[in-house]
Amino acid sequence: MRAIIGRAEAERDTSWPQPLASDAARVHRDGDREVWERPAFERQRRLTRAVVAAAHTLDDAWIDAVADGVQLLCEQSSWCWPAHDDTRERHGAVLATISAPFLDLGAGEVAAQLAWIDHLLADALDARYPGLRARIRDEVRERVIDPFLERRDWHWIGLDGDVHNWNPWIHGNVLTAALRLLDDPRDSRLRVETIALALDGIDRYVAALPDDGAIDEGFGYWWNGACRALEALDLLAVATGDALDPTRHIAALRETIAFPHRSHLGGPWYVNFADGQARPSTDQPWHALHRAALRVGDDAAAAHAASHRNEGAAVASEAEGLGRVLRGMTDPAWVGAAGTTPLPRDVVLPSTQMLLARQDAGRTEGLTLVVKGGHNGENHNHNDVGSFIVAADGVPVIVDAGRPTYTKQTFGPDRYDIWTMQSTWHNVPEIRGAAQPPGRRWAASDVVVDVSDHASAQDLELAGAYDVDALHGWRRRARLDRRAQRVEIIDEWQLEPSVGSPASTSLHLLIAGTVSLHPGGARVVPVASAPPVVVRWPREIIARSEVRSLTDPFLSDVWGRTLTRVILPVDDRARAVITVEMDDRLVAGSTEKGAVR
């Protein structure tokens, strides 16, 4: 409370952030979406801080600040983020068409924020600003409720079978707004209709969740996908006195509560296939995960959430949004929570064809291997079928870069011109000069998982992820040998004999840290003071390395100034083995390990 109010005090005599028309138009001109989103998001965060201060003090000056922020939102031409608006396609405009509001993530977030403000400060606003709550209801009705009911072609509804994280995020916010703001007796039928339609949408998302609860967008998007669904259903349970409480009864919902700790590498590091970051922001609503875990009795998930509850630290952040801040601040079980992350030894997720294997359960020490199959039409997809991650003491060393700052290009037809999305910058082969194409048809097959105390491995066929006529098979086996304390990547393939001068076939490794190449391998000093590792390959392979400078903060804040791609040409081979070992555990005479003779 003190920290939030302190930030609110520091800004109370400054101008409110103002998103500008010229900034909104830039998404259509140079693809920059951040320049508009930064002040728009900060305006909402400032309002959240003012709301907390007002509720804590009931001081008229803070009620005034809340009214200022509410009025600014009500007078903002659109709540939709310009990068999402379809006004250019439908109306030929670069700015929002206010007569045709687009219901996106941004509009839903504002509607829910206003609903929580109304819930928290109704009496104080009525006393000092009579009529403002009516304005809130009018604006939410016009910009969110009516478009939600009138248009059924919203792509995020999932009627075409493409169900992704927008679905529960928007439906949950619509549910919040309808529960609170459609409270006029004359709106009772409208309220029922809106809530029923929102629940129908969330039901569509839940039905699409796999039985193992895995999220193909990864841990970073769990918070704004599955977690949003859990929060909406939690609110529904509260609103109905637990008469409607489906979470504990649906296997996929119970399993998805375990997905965060199943994706945990150690410390701040998580598995980050797709658009997620390997070291995501710590400003996550861990209280929401904790609450859901307690509801279904998942002690491991609750302990993982509680491990992020540091005594003396804030229970929530305004970056999460007002509703999440309020739920975290008023949840006594969360305020007093304490726990240790479980770090399971093996995690097998068949729906995404992912295996995570670590040296020992409950410990980050040693090597951790993560390997995925899947297909190249996944949500927030990168072309990465067959890619793998290796971590040393929980810190990624052979890595997935993640994604740079979002622009218009990120979700447009030129997405795969971005280097981080391309298979050539993932830990997969490049075959006769061909990278993996995007699309669901390009997929792994014949995936076999073998888990034992001695070793854990995943075998998969990668030929179906490449459009190469001469390729008749590419079998990859990724294995953690616990006795030898070694990761092994074993590739065997069948390519027709080359004619003329075909493009090269090579294996790629993307490495974070300082890389020193030597014949038959490399020594890596990882980031974050993790212990060094030695990577080995057949001595006959003449490796080369390329250093990629990182200037985008979404990449450099995670990995530092560079990533290194190691390229291993294998044109004259049909088999290769790459091994990874902790440097301080090598023994004399082991220099030939992993070499293929």
Side-chain angles (χ1 to χ4, degrees), residues 124-427:
L125 290 174
D126 278 346
R128 194 160 177 83
Y129 288 92
L132 185 59
R133 293 175 62 224
R135 174 76 185 275
I136 287 173
R137 283 157 174 74
D138 289 343
E139 296 291 348
V140 171
R141 173 76 182 268
E142 182 177 346
R143 299 172 189 240
V144 174
I145 302 298
D146 288 347
F148 175 66
L149 296 174
E150 292 168 2
R151 282 185 63 176
R152 290 285 88 197
D153 63 342
W154 302 112
H155 69 84
W156 43 265
I157 294 176
L159 294 176
D160 60 355
D162 180 18
V163 185
H164 50 81
N165 71 304
W166 281 38
N167 176 303
W169 193 345
I170 297 176
H171 281 115
N173 281 331
V174 169
L175 175 67
T176 302
L179 283 169
R180 179 63 196 179
L181 301 178
L182 294 178
D183 55 349
D184 190 306
R186 293 170 297 181
D187 289 334
S188 59
R189 184 181 297 274
L190 178 68
R191 187 172 189 255
V192 169
E193 180 184 0
T194 304
I195 292 172
L197 202 57
L199 294 181
D200 178 70
I202 295 172
D203 185 65
R204 192 172 297 109
Y205 176 83
V206 172
L209 279 176
D211 290 342
D212 58 19
I215 304 299
D216 62 1
E217 297 165 292
F219 167 80
Y221 281 87
W222 183 89
W223 295 103
N224 283 321
C227 186
R228 294 282 184 177
L230 292 167
E231 289 175 285
L233 295 176
D234 182 60
L235 184 62
L236 179 69
V238 172
T240 63
D242 288 334
L244 285 175
D245 181 17
T247 302
R248 68 185 71 193
H249 304 295
I250 298 175
L253 285 172
R254 295 197 306 272
E255 290 298 315
T256 203
I257 292 169
F259 184 71
H261 74 260
R262 290 171 176 168
S263 302
H264 190 206
L265 293 174
W269 301 94
Y270 285 81
V271 177
N272 71 309
F273 296 123
D275 269 357
Q277 288 181 294
R279 192 172 61 190
S281 169
T282 57
D283 288 335
Q284 305 293 354
W286 291 104
H287 54 86
L289 173 60
H290 188 255
R291 198 158 44 249
L294 293 181
R295 184 175 285 278
V296 303
D298 188 331
D299 294 340
H304 179 62
S307 71
H308 293 81
R309 175 72 193 103
N310 299 318
E311 186 177 357
V315 295
S317 163
E318 62 265 34
E320 303 168 15
L322 178 58
R324 284 176 158 178
V325 170
L326 297 178
R327 296 302 303 276
M329 292 173 68
T330 57
D331 183 344
W334 172 245
V335 172
T340 303
T341 187
L343 296 172
R345 193 193 71 179
D346 295 287
V347 174
V348 179
L349 298 174
S351 68
T352 55
Q353 299 176 343
M354 191 195 88
L355 166 71
L356 179 150
R358 55 173 46 92
Q359 186 70 36
D360 299 295
R363 301 172 65 243
T364 59
E365 287 78 12
L367 295 172
T368 299
L369 168 68
V370 187
V371 58
K372 76 175 292 287
H375 59 81
N376 282 335
E378 295 164 345
N379 292 305
H380 289 267
N381 177 69
H382 292 194
N383 293 335
D384 61 354
V385 173
S387 194
F388 64 94
I389 294 168
V390 177
D393 285 8
V395 178
V397 181
I398 300 177
V399 308
D400 186 301
R403 56 94 171 174
T405 300
Y406 281 157
T407 66
K408 188 176 180 64
Q409 179 187 4
T410 311
F411 300 105
D414 299 325
R415 174 180 175 86
Y416 295 98
D417 290 343
I418 301 171
W419 68 272
T420 61
M421 315 296 181
Q422 300 166 4
S423 68
T424 52
W425 287 93
H426 286 79
N427 304 310

Side-chain angles (χ1 to χ4, degrees), residues 413-528:
D414 299 325
R415 174 180 175 86
Y416 295 98
D417 290 343
I418 301 171
W419 68 272
T420 61
M421 315 296 181
Q422 300 166 4
S423 68
T424 52
W425 287 93
H426 286 79
N427 304 310
V428 298
E430 182 175 306
I431 304 174
R432 294 275 168 90
Q436 295 181 9
R440 190 180 185 92
R441 62 173 289 197
W442 309 105
S445 61
D446 191 20
V447 178
V448 179
V449 177
D450 180 19
V451 172
S452 70
D453 291 341
H454 168 59
S456 296
Q458 179 162 288
D459 291 51
L460 58 170
E461 175 57 55
L462 303 185
Y466 292 84
D467 187 12
V468 178
D469 292 338
L471 178 63
H472 297 298
W474 192 293
R475 194 72 185 170
R476 166 162 283 184
R477 179 174 176 81
R479 181 173 183 265
L480 173 67
D481 186 327
R482 293 190 174 89
R483 290 180 184 170
Q485 300 183 51
R486 180 174 63 234
V487 166
E488 302 167 346
I489 308 298
I490 306 167
D491 285 308
E492 297 181 295
W493 59 94
Q494 299 87 44
L495 272 168
E496 292 179 5
S498 58
V499 178
S501 301
S504 179
T505 296
S506 56
L507 303 175
H508 291 185
L509 300 173
L510 189 63
I511 300 176
T514 302
V515 181
S516 302
L517 288 181
H518 56 76
R523 184 176 189 269
V524 182
V525 179
V527 300

